[in-house]
């Protein structure tokens, strides 16, 4: 049920939304429920050893998700976009505006969270891949979506950061660095774009067991010598609300930040962590 009727007809572009059960799909589903027109984007195909086809949203999967989200009367289309390629970002923004007339919401969700190694073991190419997708990508999408939003007189940008934007985790030097940087980018963009009626915020979820999250569960359980079940039980025990996050939790925060209720909120990095992150 729609809770923010003012979002009806707004055009939203979401990056990294081509995988089933992912945060991007969850955010798309919620914005569709609110009446938004949604453009799903993902890379569409593998890109080298750091981005294998098993870790990205393929054209086929992305198109299936878009079709399913459109099946009950919503409008959702899929467009392939590699956030590392500025020409592709510029082209997708232009195609969105040409097809739907505006670009009102940008959600930067694309990210690499599966290249986890210790600092002394991570390859420079892996570091570059994580920093590229997680930080260069949002810079490029904010740049080109921001130009469009300036021209049309306003908009909303939500960057999906992480608890790792505020706390350090072992084996996640590149990931933590990129997400800390994303909060910095959020704050600068909020300062620069606020005069144009553009709100820019970040959402910082704790662990969510998506497809990527399931891989992380197995990886960190092995590193700590625990079963996956024990690892998850220990995780739940340290979260005040007693469970890990769900895609819908991040989606709800995103919808709120796009709504009129959040008109005076910008430059913030909002925790959605069940109380696990408290600063």
């Amino acid at each position: 049920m729609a809770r923010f009727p003012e979002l009806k007809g707004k055009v939203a572009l979401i990056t990294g939304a081509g995988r089933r059960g992912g945060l991007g799909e969850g955010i798309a589903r919620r914005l569709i429920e609110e009446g938004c027109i949604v453009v799903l984007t993902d890379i569409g195909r593998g890109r080298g050893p750091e981005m294998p086809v098993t870790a990205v949203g393929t054209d086929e999967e992305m198109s299936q998700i878009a079709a399913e989200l459109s099946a009950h009367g919503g409008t959702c289309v899929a467009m392939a976009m590699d956030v590392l390629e500025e020409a592709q970002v510029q082209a997708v923004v232009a195609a969105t505006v040409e097809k739907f007339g505006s670009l009102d919401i940008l959600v930067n969700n694309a990210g690499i969270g599966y290249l986890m190694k210790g600092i002394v073991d991570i390859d420079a190419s892996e570091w570059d891949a994580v920093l590229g997708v997680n930080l260069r990508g949002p810079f490029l999408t904010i740049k080109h979506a921001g130009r469009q939003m300036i021209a049309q007189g306003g908009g909303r940008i939500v960057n999906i950061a992480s608890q790792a934007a505020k706390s350090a985790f072992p084996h996640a030097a590149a990931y933590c660095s990129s997400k800390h940087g994303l909060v910095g980018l959020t704050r600068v963009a909020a300062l620069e774009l606020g005069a144009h009626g553009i709100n820019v915020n970040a959402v910082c979820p704790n662990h969510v067991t998506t497809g990527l999250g399931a891989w992380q569960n197995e990886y960190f359980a092995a590193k700590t010598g625990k079963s996956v079940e024990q690892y998850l039980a220990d995780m739940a025990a340290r979260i005040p609300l007693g469970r890990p996050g769900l895609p819908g939790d991040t989606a709800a925060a995103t919808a709120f930040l796009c709504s009129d209720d959040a008109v005076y909120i910008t430059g913030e990095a909002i925790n959605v962590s069940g109380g696990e992150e408290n600063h």
Side-chain angles (χ1 to χ4, degrees), residues 176-197:
C176 288
S177 296
S178 68
K179 294 299 187 179
H180 275 69
L182 184 56
V183 170
L185 177 62
T186 299
R187 290 170 174 164
V188 172
L191 290 176
E192 293 187 3
L193 299 177
H196 301 283

Side-chain angles (χ1 to χ4, degrees), residues 121-134:
D121 296 318
I122 191 168
D123 294 334
S125 61
E126 295 171 322
W127 173 276
D128 290 344
V130 175
L131 269 290
V133 174
N134 293 10

Side-chain angles (χ1 to χ4, degrees), residues 54-109:
T54 54
V56 303
T58 63
D59 288 328
E60 181 181 8
E61 188 171 17
M62 182 168 42
S63 295
Q64 289 172 352
I65 292 170
E68 290 168 8
L69 292 179
S70 298
H72 301 291
T75 301
C76 185
V77 300
M79 298 187 189
M81 183 177 76
D82 184 342
V83 296
L84 295 177
E85 300 294 338
E86 185 166 11
Q88 290 189 33
V89 173
Q90 188 172 11
V92 168
V93 169
T96 299
V97 176
E98 181 179 2
K99 186 172 181 66
F100 298 115
S102 66
L103 175 54
D104 306 296
I105 295 166
L106 168 67
V107 181
N108 278 311
N109 175 69

Side-chain angles (χ1 to χ4, degrees), residues 156-172:
R156 299 295 174 92
I157 298 173
V158 181
N159 297 320
I160 306 304
S162 170
Q163 184 180 10
K166 301 189 176 182
S167 294
F169 296 89
H171 303 277

